[in-house]
């Protein structure tokens, strides 16, 4: 599991996750992911296009980040999940608590709402 | 004859696991190695991996809380047109078949994978549970033929 953090603007950070968000993958990236989402007061876009697998531990990590950001009055938006990952996100109704966009442009638009 | 049908029905995979989170990845890699000759569709492999991940993380996370560590047994086979995964442990009794479906609020509030069993129900086709001789026995079937429509 890899994580890449880049600045989209002075108020938006993009976090690209690559690999598997299972127990092992979450264990590797969770601390860095939560720090990337909550440090600096920026909104966060999370690129899921390179995430090949997600299980309940990955869902929990995303919800944890979302909660921490809500407390800081910043937004978390996910975008570009692969179809099998999208199936898990849909089943767990993750979209009820975290906006999920089809692509980066749509994700940025959701941040700016 | 398809690659799946060419697997001998008595070909079976058995693995003893310690009650440690790192064992989940070892089990996954061993399962993939066992299933590789069957050349299963990616979607089927995804379902197998998800079921194994969720059930093993549940057993390791909950079954032995307050109890001495024990080993967990995982077996797998391709029977007819099903991938059959069997999990066995001597932890506290837990019947995932009978476990109530969490509400969205409950699952989202859970600190440890509250959606796990729900996801297993979504991605598996059949589940059988039995408590026998102080052990949890859980058989989960993933039918190859449902992939096209799921």
């Amino acid at each position: 599991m890899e994580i890449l953090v880049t600045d989209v603007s002075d108020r938006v950070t993009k976090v690209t996750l690559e690999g598997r968000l299972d127990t092992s993958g979450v264990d590797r990236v969770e601390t860095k992911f939560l720090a990337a989402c909550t440090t600096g007061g920026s909104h966060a876009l999370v690129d899921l296009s390179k995430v090949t697998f997600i299980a309940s531990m990955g869902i929990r990590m995303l919800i944890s980040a979302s909660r921490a950001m809500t407390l800081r009055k910043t937004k978390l938006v996910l975008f570009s999940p692969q179809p099998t990952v999208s199936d898990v996100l849909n089943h767990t109704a993750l979209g009820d608590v975290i906006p999920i966009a089809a692509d980066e442009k749509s994700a940025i638009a959701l941040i700016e709402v | 004859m398809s690659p799946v049908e060419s697997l001998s029905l008595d070909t079976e995979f058995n693995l003893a696991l310690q009650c440690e989170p790192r064992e989940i990845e070892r089990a996954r890699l061993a399962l993939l190695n066992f299933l590789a000759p069957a050349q299963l569709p990616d979607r089927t492999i995804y379902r197998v991996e998800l079921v194994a991940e969720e059930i093993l993380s549940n057993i390791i996370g909950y079954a032995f809380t307050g109890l001495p560590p024990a080993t967990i047994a995982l077996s797998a086979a391709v029977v007819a047109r099903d991938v059959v995964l069997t999990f066995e442990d001597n932890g506290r009794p837990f019947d995932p078949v009978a476990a109530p479906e969490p509400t969205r609020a409950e699952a989202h509030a859970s600190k440890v994978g509250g959606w796990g069993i729900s996801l297993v129900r979504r991605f598996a086709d059949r589940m059988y549970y039995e408590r026998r001789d102080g052990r949890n026995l859980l058989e989960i079937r993933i039918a190859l033929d449902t992939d096209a429509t799921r």
Side-chain angles (χ1 to χ4, degrees):
Chain A
M1 190 74 215
E2 302 293 333
I3 181 169
L4 176 66
V5 183
T6 54
D7 289 330
V8 175
S9 69
D10 59 355
R11 51 188 288 273
V12 179
T13 297
K14 181 165 80 171
V15 183
T16 303
L17 296 171
E18 181 172 357
R20 299 172 56 82
L21 279 176
D22 54 9
T23 298
S24 173
V26 168
D27 188 52
R28 279 194 206 109
V29 300
E30 184 167 25
T31 301
K32 191 169 181 181
F33 178 73
L34 293 177
C37 290
T38 57
T39 304
S42 296
H43 303 300
L45 307 173
V46 179
D47 183 351
L48 294 178
S49 63
K50 295 175 182 172
V51 172
T52 55
F53 180 94
I54 189 166
S56 60
M57 293 296 277
I59 299 294
R60 183 193 53 76
M61 182 184 85
L62 296 172
I63 291 174
S64 295
S66 171
R67 284 218 181 89
M69 294 182 72
T70 298
L71 290 174
R72 290 165 174 76
K73 302 191 187 312
T74 54
K75 291 182 186 174
L76 174 67
V77 177
L78 313 176
F79 70 93
S80 300
Q82 296 183 14
T84 44
V85 169
S86 193
D87 191 357
V88 173
L89 302 185
N90 289 338
H91 180 76
T92 58
L94 193 67
D96 286 1
V97 288
I98 306 174
I100 304 169
D103 53 39
E104 184 169 348
K105 185 178 176 185
S106 306
I108 291 172
L110 288 172
I111 289 279
E112 291 171 346
V113 168
Chain B
M1 181 177 286
S2 75
V4 171
E5 288 167 338
S6 70
L7 268 187
S8 167
L9 295 185
D10 60 6
T11 299
E12 189 165 313
F13 159 92
N14 294 288
L15 187 67
L17 299 163
Q18 302 299 312
C19 190
E20 299 283 345
R22 66 173 182 272
E23 290 284 80
I24 300 172
E25 179 68 0
R26 186 167 76 89
R28 182 181 78 85
L29 296 174
L31 264 177
L32 290 180
N33 190 50
F34 166 70
L35 292 171
Q39 299 177 37
L40 301 175
D42 289 347
R43 171 74 178 168
T44 305
I45 292 294
Y46 195 99
R47 294 168 62 202
V48 168
E49 289 182 310
L50 191 73
V51 167
E53 157 83 18
E54 298 297 353
I55 296 298
L56 289 175
S57 65
N58 209 55
I59 293 171
I60 290 167
Y62 300 111
F64 296 97
T65 305
L67 299 176
T71 56
I72 299 155
L74 167 65
S75 63
V78 178
V79 179
R81 301 288 299 171
D82 289 347
V83 176
V84 183
L85 301 177
T86 306
F87 304 85
E88 184 174 343
D89 69 83
N90 62 342
R92 67 186 67 256
F94 176 66
D95 178 0
V97 178
E101 188 72 8
T103 66
R104 289 182 179 186
E106 287 170 346
H108 285 156
S110 173
K111 290 183 178 173
V112 183
W115 286 104
I117 299 302
S118 179
L119 283 168
V120 171
R121 290 195 183 108
R122 167 71 182 88
F123 283 83
D125 289 287
R126 288 182 295 282
M127 299 169 65
Y128 306 94
Y129 170 82
E130 186 180 344
R131 181 76 178 178
R132 187 195 303 164
D133 300 330
R135 302 181 72 82
N136 295 304
L137 302 172
L138 178 65
E139 179 186 292
I140 298 182
R141 288 182 171 249
I142 296 165
L144 306 177
D145 297 328
T146 58
D147 272 352
T149 56
R150 290 178 76 100

